[in-house]
Amino acid sequence: MSIPTQMDPIPAVATLLPSSANSESSSVAQRIALKMQRPVLCSWNIPGTSPMLEAIAERRLLQELRDMFGTQQQQVQEQTGQAAHAEGLAGAQPATQAANS
């Protein structure tokens, strides 16, 4: 598990299960947390003997996370924008009705 902090540019890492495989999981979690600026829990079960596969898997994981979180951020921005637009229209309607009277 890795969590970005304001105190250090490198995200803090904590392992949940002690094993030699966790060192790679911690490294991957740390890199992803640094890039995403979000807490990351990672279980990495790719053999260390294939660095090319590791790089491809990490790149794909980052792409999926960015797509997922980017979509959520866009939806929040759209909902916020729609709410602000609706409030603007609601505030403008009485003035328009008063002008028409």
Side-chain angles (χ1 to χ4, degrees), residues 33 38 77 79 97:
R38 293 178 178 267
Q77 289 171 352
Q79 289 172 355
Q97 289 174 354

Side-chain angles (χ1 to χ4, degrees), residues 2 11 18 22-23 29 42 56 62 65 70-71 85-86 88-89 92:
S2 183
N22 273 345
S23 65
C42 180
I56 292 169
L62 260 173
L65 289 171
T71 302
H85 182 66
L89 290 177

Side-chain angles (χ1 to χ4, degrees), residues 3 13 20 47 60-61 65:
I3 300 175
V13 175
S20 61
R60 177 61 187 206
L61 177 60
L65 289 171

Side-chain angles (χ1 to χ4, degrees), residues 1-100:
M1 177 171 206
S2 183
I3 300 175
T5 65
Q6 295 178 353
M7 305 299 183
D8 194 358
I10 298 171
V13 175
T15 57
L16 303 176
L17 298 172
S19 79
S20 61
N22 273 345
S23 65
E24 188 60 33
S25 293
S26 296
S27 298
V28 171
Q30 197 171 35
R31 288 193 298 269
I32 293 173
L34 184 62
K35 292 176 184 174
M36 297 294 298
Q37 291 300 306
R38 293 178 178 267
V40 174
L41 178 64
C42 180
S43 176
W44 194 254
N45 298 320
I46 296 177
T49 58
S50 54
M52 188 66 128
L53 178 60
E54 288 180 3
I56 292 169
E58 185 175 339
R59 208 172 304 131
R60 177 61 187 206
L61 177 60
L62 260 173
Q63 178 185 357
E64 291 294 327
L65 289 171
R66 284 184 177 144
D67 289 347
M68 183 173 64
F69 287 113
T71 302
Q72 287 178 352
Q73 288 175 352
Q74 286 175 345
Q75 288 173 351
V76 168
Q77 289 171 352
E78 288 173 3
Q79 289 172 355
T80 305
Q82 289 172 356
H85 182 66
E87 288 173 9
L89 290 177
Q93 286 175 352
T96 306
Q97 289 174 354
N100 289 339

